[in-house]
């Protein structure tokens, strides 16, 4: 099965994907301090609906989408009793309506205003939403997310919403970081979770680590790995 990955045609081969998936499972057991907590989120932005359905038929059941309209179109076509679908991209307020009804977890909440809007929409939809706060640990200008300082300064503001539970944090490692800088980024977020959890015990998820840096993320306590190309290359 061919599909497009940034213009490149990539072969989608069941055996290959299962082999790569199992390799990551082995690495979870090898590197994570608590392998039983770690989930592999299959980044599904690379797939059209036909290939998406095949992945579900092959037994994969935890996906992350980064465009709200694509999310909406895919979930119309797929049986949501069988799968959990997270939203992992930047979320604009006017796009919340596309995901609100059934999103499992939103990884990319990066402002207080977005939380307020999500809380309001959740209230209207009679839903309770689980979200992660996106923290820009490396403070790169090209990245979204709250700085650690900003989060700490206004901490209580983020946890005041009745229709939202903040389940943890998400971050992206520096784009051009070496392995040491990546480790520092991930361990910093792990420590933030540890120190904030005393007051907010519902904090349990760390969404960090992608295809090129998930080993460093595992060593530093990641509970959700957002894996795309590594699964089918």
């Amino acid at each position: 099965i061919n599909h497009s990955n940034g213009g490149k045609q990539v072969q989608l081969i069941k055996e290959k994907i299962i082999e790569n998936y199992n390799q990551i499972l082995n690495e979870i057991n090898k590197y994570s301090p608590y392998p039983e907590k770690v989930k592999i989120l299959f980044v599904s932005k690379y797939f059209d609906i036909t290939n998406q359905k095949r992945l579900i038929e092959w037994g994969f059941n935890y996906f992350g989408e980064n465009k709200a309209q694509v999310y909406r179109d895919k979930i119309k076509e797929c049986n949501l009793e069988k799968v959990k679908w997270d939203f992992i991209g930047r979320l604009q307020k006017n796009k919340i309506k596309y995901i609100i009804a059934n999103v499992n977890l939103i990884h990319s909440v990066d402002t207080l205003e977005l939380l307020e809007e999500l809380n309001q929409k959740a209230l209207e939809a009679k839903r309770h939403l689980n979200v992660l706060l996106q923290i820009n640990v490396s403070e790169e200008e090209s990245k979204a997310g709250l700085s650690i300082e900003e989060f700490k300064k206004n901490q209580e503001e983020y946890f005041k919403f009745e229709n939202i539970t903040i389940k943890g944090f998400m971050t992206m490692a520096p784009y051009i970081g070496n392995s040491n800088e990546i480790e520092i980024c991930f361990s910093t977020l792990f420590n933030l979770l540890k120190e904030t959890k005393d007051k907010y015990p519902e904090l349990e998820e760390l969404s960090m680590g992608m295809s090129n840096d998930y080993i460093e993320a595992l060593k530093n306590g990641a509970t959700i790995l957002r894996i795309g190309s590594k699964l089918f290359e």
Side-chain angles (χ1 to χ4, degrees):
I1 303 155
N2 288 322
H3 66 91
S4 170
N5 171 19
K8 263 192 323 196
Q9 284 298 307
V10 180
Q11 205 72 29
L12 197 58
I13 302 164
K14 180 180 181 181
E15 292 69 27
K16 189 79 185 147
I17 290 176
I18 289 170
E19 185 190 324
N20 289 337
Y21 193 88
N22 287 333
Q23 185 198 328
I24 297 170
L25 287 177
N26 290 335
E27 287 161 338
I28 289 170
N29 285 315
K30 184 174 173 184
Y31 295 111
S32 172
Y34 33 62
E36 71 288 349
K37 288 187 187 176
V38 183
K39 300 168 279 298
I40 301 172
L41 178 146
F42 204 134
V43 177
S44 51
K45 66 178 179 182
Y46 302 100
F47 307 111
D48 62 16
I49 191 64
T50 309
N51 285 334
Q52 186 75 57
K53 284 178 170 172
R54 283 202 176 94
L55 290 169
I56 294 168
E57 277 164 25
W58 296 345
F60 295 100
N61 62 3
Y62 185 35
F63 300 103
E65 197 60 58
N66 69 338
K67 287 199 167 71
Q69 282 106 317
V70 177
Y71 177 96
R72 172 200 61 193
D73 296 344
K74 281 186 178 179
I75 56 172
K76 273 184 196 160
E77 300 273 341
C78 297
N79 179 353
L80 277 179
E81 285 167 21
K82 289 185 181 169
V83 296
K84 285 194 300 191
W85 229 306
D86 291 2
F87 188 79
I88 58 177
R90 291 214 62 181
L91 183 58
Q92 294 161 296
K93 292 182 198 166
N94 61 347
K95 305 277 173 71
I96 294 171
K97 57 181 181 252
Y98 298 135
I99 68 169
I100 187 82
N102 33 35
V103 65
N104 174 58
L105 178 67
I106 299 169
H107 290 232
S108 48
V109 176
D110 57 356
T111 64
L112 204 49
E113 294 74 42
L114 182 56
L115 265 180
E116 280 165 355
E117 190 68 22
L118 282 166
N119 187 62
Q120 184 54 40
K121 291 279 188 287
L123 182 68
E124 291 162 15
K126 298 187 170 56
R127 270 209 78 191
H128 192 93
L129 287 180
N130 290 326
V131 309
L132 304 178
L133 291 181
Q134 182 170 351
I135 307 289
N136 186 352
V137 179
S138 56
E139 297 197 15
E140 285 173 276
E141 284 183 17
S142 59
K143 286 210 183 83
L146 302 158
S147 69
I148 289 181
E149 195 185 343
E150 203 181 340
F151 167 70
K152 286 182 170 174
K153 194 173 76 184
N154 304 307
Q155 190 172 292
E156 289 176 9
E157 290 291 299
Y158 296 100
F159 290 89
K160 69 181 184 189
F161 298 102
E162 285 183 15
N163 292 77
I164 289 179
T165 299
I166 295 172
K167 301 292 284 182
F169 301 127
M170 181 270 256
T171 199
M172 290 188 235
Y175 286 130
I176 335 176
N178 60 36
S179 133
N180 189 38
E181 289 166 316
I182 291 169
E183 290 252 3
I184 289 168
C185 171
F186 292 153
S187 66
T188 303
L189 196 66
F190 176 76
N191 290 330
L192 182 69
L193 186 90
K194 227 168 38 175
E195 65 190 56
T196 317
K197 198 174 163 59
D198 290 344
K199 193 167 183 187
Y200 303 102
E202 64 274 20
L203 290 170
E204 51 199 34
E205 301 289 2
L206 278 178
S207 169
M208 55 190 199
M210 305 197 295
S211 289
N212 57 341
D213 56 18
Y214 66 88
I215 302 249
E216 288 92 343
L218 283 170
K219 290 176 182 171
N220 289 286
T223 64
I224 302 173
L225 307 175
R226 305 184 305 276
I227 309 287
S229 56
K230 170 75 184 167
L231 282 165
F232 48 81
E233 64 191 14

